[in-house]
Amino acid sequence: MKYLSVILLASCCYTARCILPPYHECGPSTSHSKTGVLKSLDIGCAGLSAHNACKLKRGTDVSITTNFTSNVNTNKVTTVVHGILNGVAEVFLHLLSKDGEEGVRFNGVTEDACISNVNHCNITKGEIIHYTNTLPVDVHYPLLRLTVKWEIRDDQNNNLVCIKIPVEIVN
């Protein structure tokens, strides 16, 4: 029976072009501890590219919705988004980022998530939080592939959630 399940899964993946989700969670970094657990994630891609990247269509807004459990008490939630350009020297990107973090800081999202992105900001340890946000994809963005690093941080500037999403900006 176990082998039959594997064969059925393989045939479904073959006929439906089974593609894994294009994102992965970031690990803890030297500057940000992990203080939450991702429960679910939905990214409003315009499909997946041949490189298994989320297609972001220029001139549109892309939504991101997640549910996560907080492992800490916090009364502040912020959003920080960076673009990581593969193949570009990290030294050059640090000059552009101005915050000393990986990639180039993207300022097109509302960073104070308490304004409209979470259901409330007096979060207690163990609580499940619903988060939504929108990423505007400007018509002037170059057509390229990059990784978007999306961080949802607590009041100690640690990551409640950190997700890296390979994207391709398309027309």
Side-chain angles (χ1 to χ4, degrees):
M1 188 66 170
K2 182 166 62 169
Y3 296 112
L4 180 60
S5 298
V6 170
I7 292 169
L8 285 174
L9 178 62
S11 66
C12 287
C13 284
Y14 177 75
T15 57
R17 297 183 124 198
C18 188
I19 299 175
L20 297 173
Y23 62 86
H24 64 276
E25 287 188 75
C26 313
S29 68
T30 56
S31 55
H32 306 289
S33 298
K34 184 175 178 187
T35 60
V37 177
L38 181 67
K39 296 292 185 187
S40 66
L41 177 68
D42 181 37
I43 304 167
C45 298
L48 295 177
S49 74
H51 304 285
N52 201 28
C54 180
K55 290 183 185 177
L56 303 183
K57 187 174 169 70
R58 291 196 300 190
T60 65
D61 291 336
V62 177
S63 64
I64 183 169
T65 303
T66 184
N67 290 307
F68 62 89
T69 302
S70 177
N71 290 333
V72 296
N73 295 328
T74 184
N75 55 19
K76 181 179 177 186
V77 180
T78 56
T79 302
V80 179
V81 180
H82 284 88
I84 303 165
L85 300 167
N86 303 325
V88 177
E90 193 63 31
V91 172
F92 179 67
L93 291 179
H94 277 296
L95 293 173
L96 290 176
S97 73
K98 298 181 182 173
D99 65 3
E101 296 196 29
E102 179 183 30
V104 178
R105 184 86 170 246
F106 179 75
N107 295 317
V109 297
T110 304
E111 290 196 8
D112 183 353
C114 295
I115 293 173
S116 62
N117 305 120
V118 292
N119 41 353
H120 66 88
C121 274
N122 290 327
I123 297 170
T124 57
K125 182 178 179 177
E127 187 175 358
I128 296 175
I129 302 301
H130 180 74
Y131 170 95
T132 59
N133 209 327
T134 303
L135 175 75
V137 184
D138 193 275
V139 295
H140 299 100
Y141 284 171
L143 301 175
L144 54 80
R145 279 182 265 156
L146 71 150
T147 300
V148 172
K149 182 177 179 183
W150 197 288
E151 298 168 276
I152 305 168
R153 295 183 182 170
D154 63 20
D155 57 7
Q156 300 299 308
N157 207 30
N158 290 316
N159 288 330
L160 290 159
V161 174
C162 179
I163 306 155
K164 286 188 175 180
I165 311 158
V167 302
E168 185 171 347
I169 300 175
V170 299
N171 277 321

